[in-house]
């Protein structure tokens, strides 16, 4: 079993399979980075899987594939199948912008994918384009329809930004409610890579907006999920992901693995340790030792709660860590 230095059980690995992306979201990767990790430095699926097996053997039962945009990586279904064939009952999910999903949702489900989190920030083509800096909405909505049609469970991630999509909170909520998908509104997490001019909404501001139209009941955090759930009178539940809140990290159960083999213990901080050499040599024992070292040093909490960390913005690039 994997336990970190603060007694938290780690049973969830988020694995980023590429840092590259076909969008340029204002809050994540507004400009193409000056430097991409060279393709030869990316771990193969076999190498990533070798590390995942170490985790699974120690009780990891939830794996999320993310990026950059994970659907850009060829043969993702084969990677999912490797994980699925290794052990029954692993909860395998993907976080995607869904731009490329339409043609492959069925193949991913057949390989063992259970769930998808899809990012959708606006239902207006021009606002979606303003945020992603590309005309994306039609493809994204078609991707969502396809995922639902093939029977995948879908949750929607949405980042409200002041003066851009903040007036669409109710519309996005109702779109998801109609389709029986949970929406999770994510507070914008300040970082040095994002467009300097954007400002997010705090969870409380998002909830206040929804309260103008609906009576809400507080439900609470569901297990180790970062989302705090609220319920409308008709039973529909939505979530708020509020890393600026002080209790956000108490139940953190996850670590992140990047496409080049760095294990990241906390989304906020720069610290990481590499398992690249270990998995390239097939040295399971060495990979396992690095993992234990990372867990020993996993920070107690992020610093987004320091309201806001103007002077010391997080260096972390969401497109590298996978959010
Ligand atoms: N490309 C995929 C996507 O957009 O869903 C997966 C990777 S993306 C980094 C994962 C999640 O991180 C997305 O839901 C995105 O909205 C969120 N995200 C990225 N940058 C963020 C930021 N600065 N603050 C809050 N959420 C962010
Ligand atoms: Fe790409 Fe996702 Fe980042 Fe947007 S949030 S730039 S889709 S990695």
């Amino acid at each position: 079993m994997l336990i970190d230095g603060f007694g938290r059980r780690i049973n969830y690995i988020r694995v980023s399979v590429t840092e590259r992306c076909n969008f340029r979201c204002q809050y994540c990767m507004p400009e193409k980075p000056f430097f991409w990790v060279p393709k030869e430095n990316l771990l193969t699926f076999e190498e990533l899987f070798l590390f995942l097996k170490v985790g699974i053997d120690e009780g990891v039962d939830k794996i999320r594939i993310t990026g950059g945009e994970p659907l850009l990586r060829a043969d993702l279904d084969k990677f999912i199948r490797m994980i699925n064939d290794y052990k029954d009952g692993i909860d395998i999910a993907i976080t995607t912008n869904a731009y490329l999903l339409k043609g492959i949702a069925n193949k991913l489900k057949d390989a063992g994918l259970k769930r998808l989190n899809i990012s959708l920030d606006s239902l207006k083509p021009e606002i979606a384009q303003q945020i992603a800096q590309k005309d994306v909405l039609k493809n994204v909505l078609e991707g969502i329809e396809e995922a639902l049609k093939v029977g995948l469970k879908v949750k929607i991630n949405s980042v409200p930004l002041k003066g851009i999509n903040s007036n669409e909170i109710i519309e996005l909520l109702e779109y998801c409610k109609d389709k029986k998908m949970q929406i999770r509104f994510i507070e914008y997490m300040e970082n040095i890579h994002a467009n300097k001019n954007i400002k997010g909404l705090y969870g409380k501001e998002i909830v206040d907006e929804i309260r103008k139209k609906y009576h809400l009941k507080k439900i609470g955090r569901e297990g180790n999920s970062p989302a705090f759930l609220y319920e409308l009178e008709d039973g529909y539940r939505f979530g708020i992901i509020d890393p600026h809140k002080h209790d956000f990290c108490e139940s953190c159960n996850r670590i992140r693995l990047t496409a080049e083999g760095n294990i990241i213990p906390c989304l906020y901080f720069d610290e990481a340790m590499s398992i690249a050499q270990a998995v390239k040599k097939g040295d399971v024992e060495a990979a396992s030792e690095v993992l234990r070292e990372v867990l020993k040093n996993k920070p107690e909490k992020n610093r987004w709660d320091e309201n806001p960390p103007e002077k010391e913005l997080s260096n972390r690039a969401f497109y590298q860590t996978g959010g």
Side-chain angles (χ1 to χ4, degrees):
M1 194 183 287
L2 302 173
I3 307 281
D4 79 358
F6 293 92
R8 294 171 293 196
R9 181 173 168 224
I10 306 301
N11 67 334
Y12 179 14
I13 300 180
R14 293 176 69 103
V15 51
S16 166
V17 292
T18 178
E19 60 173 354
R20 292 165 198 242
C21 190
N22 44 358
F23 288 16
R24 292 288 174 271
C25 300
Q26 302 274 356
Y27 47 71
C28 178
M29 190 202 302
E31 281 161 31
K32 181 171 175 288
F34 188 65
F35 175 81
W36 286 127
V37 173
K39 284 222 164 94
E40 60 273 19
N41 288 15
L42 296 184
L43 296 188
T44 62
F45 283 148
E46 285 74 17
E47 289 162 349
L48 291 170
F49 179 56
L50 196 136
F51 176 75
L52 294 182
K53 279 198 290 187
V54 171
I56 293 171
D57 291 347
E58 290 281 0
V60 166
D61 55 9
K62 185 170 173 188
I63 292 175
R64 176 171 298 278
I65 299 166
T66 175
E69 176 43 42
L71 303 190
L72 286 178
R73 190 140 171 193
D75 295 333
L76 198 62
D77 57 311
K78 294 195 180 127
F79 185 46
I80 292 171
R81 202 174 290 281
M82 279 181 204
I83 303 167
N84 197 46
D85 286 351
Y86 184 64
K87 191 169 174 197
D88 281 344
I90 303 285
D91 178 10
I92 309 172
I94 294 183
T95 299
T96 172
N97 63 33
Y99 191 82
L100 298 171
L101 186 60
K102 192 177 171 194
I104 57 168
N106 211 6
K107 193 166 71 169
L108 297 175
K109 183 171 183 241
D110 283 350
L113 181 69
K114 310 280 188 301
R115 303 185 296 110
L116 280 166
N117 283 15
I118 297 179
S119 302
L120 176 72
D121 294 324
S122 175
L123 290 165
K124 297 183 181 139
E126 66 285 4
I127 302 295
Q129 174 156 13
Q130 186 185 349
I131 296 172
Q133 302 191 80
K134 174 169 167 171
D135 183 10
V136 294
L137 187 63
K138 180 172 173 291
N139 276 38
V140 173
L141 294 182
E142 286 176 359
I144 292 173
E145 289 302 333
E146 186 75 10
L148 293 173
K149 199 170 95 193
V150 304
L152 283 163
K153 277 198 196 154
V154 179
K155 285 184 185 168
I156 298 294
N157 288 344
S158 201
V159 182
L161 302 171
K162 279 195 178 140
I164 301 179
N165 61 345
S166 47
N167 58 356
E168 282 189 72
I169 289 171
I170 296 285
E171 218 175 317
L172 283 161
L173 178 99
E174 291 176 348
Y175 166 80
C176 292
K177 184 156 98 77
D178 282 352
K179 296 193 180 297
K180 301 186 173 32
M181 305 180 291
Q182 186 183 102
I183 186 166
R184 292 125 45 96
F185 294 102
I186 307 176
E187 288 180 345
Y188 164 58
M189 288 170 248
E190 299 81 2
N191 66 90
I192 60 165
H193 306 273
N195 178 334
K196 307 279 168 289
N197 300 320
I198 60 170
K199 279 221 171 319
L201 264 69
Y202 285 116
K204 183 180 175 320
E205 296 174 287
I206 300 166
V207 170
D208 285 348
E209 194 56 33
I210 299 172
R211 277 217 171 92
K212 287 183 190 162
K213 180 156 178 190
Y214 292 101
H215 286 289
L216 300 182
K217 189 162 91 185
K218 274 187 179 181
I219 301 296
R221 295 196 197 277
E222 198 177 38
N224 291 88
S225 164
F228 191 100
L229 295 182
Y230 290 82
E231 190 175 279
L232 308 191
E233 277 178 316
D234 64 5
Y236 174 74
R237 288 182 177 188
F238 70 91
I240 300 284
I241 299 188
D242 48 3
H244 295 85
K245 264 227 171 112
H246 69 275
D247 67 341
F248 182 78
C249 304
E250 276 168 15
S251 58
C252 184
N253 63 340
R254 63 203 60 193
I255 52 165
R256 293 170 168 82
L257 174 64
T258 70
E260 52 178 332
N262 290 319
I263 314 182
I264 296 172
C266 173
L267 189 55
Y268 184 92
F269 295 98
D270 253 357
E271 279 74 17
M273 284 181 81
S274 176
I275 46 102
Q277 291 312 318
V279 295
K280 278 180 201 290
K281 285 192 249 155
D283 188 342
V284 175
E285 198 42 52
S288 179
E289 251 170 53
V290 175
L291 175 57
R292 287 187 191 285
E293 192 61 25
V294 167
L295 291 183
K296 206 166 77 190
N297 297 315
K298 183 171 158 67
E300 185 177 15
K301 58 193 194 76
N302 71 45
R303 293 180 66 186
W304 276 297
D305 65 343
E306 291 174 17
N307 204 12
E310 301 281 1
K311 288 208 181 88
E312 204 191 323
L313 284 184
S314 170
N315 289 328
R316 275 268 165 245
F318 277 70
Y319 58 84
Q320 285 168 341
T321 57

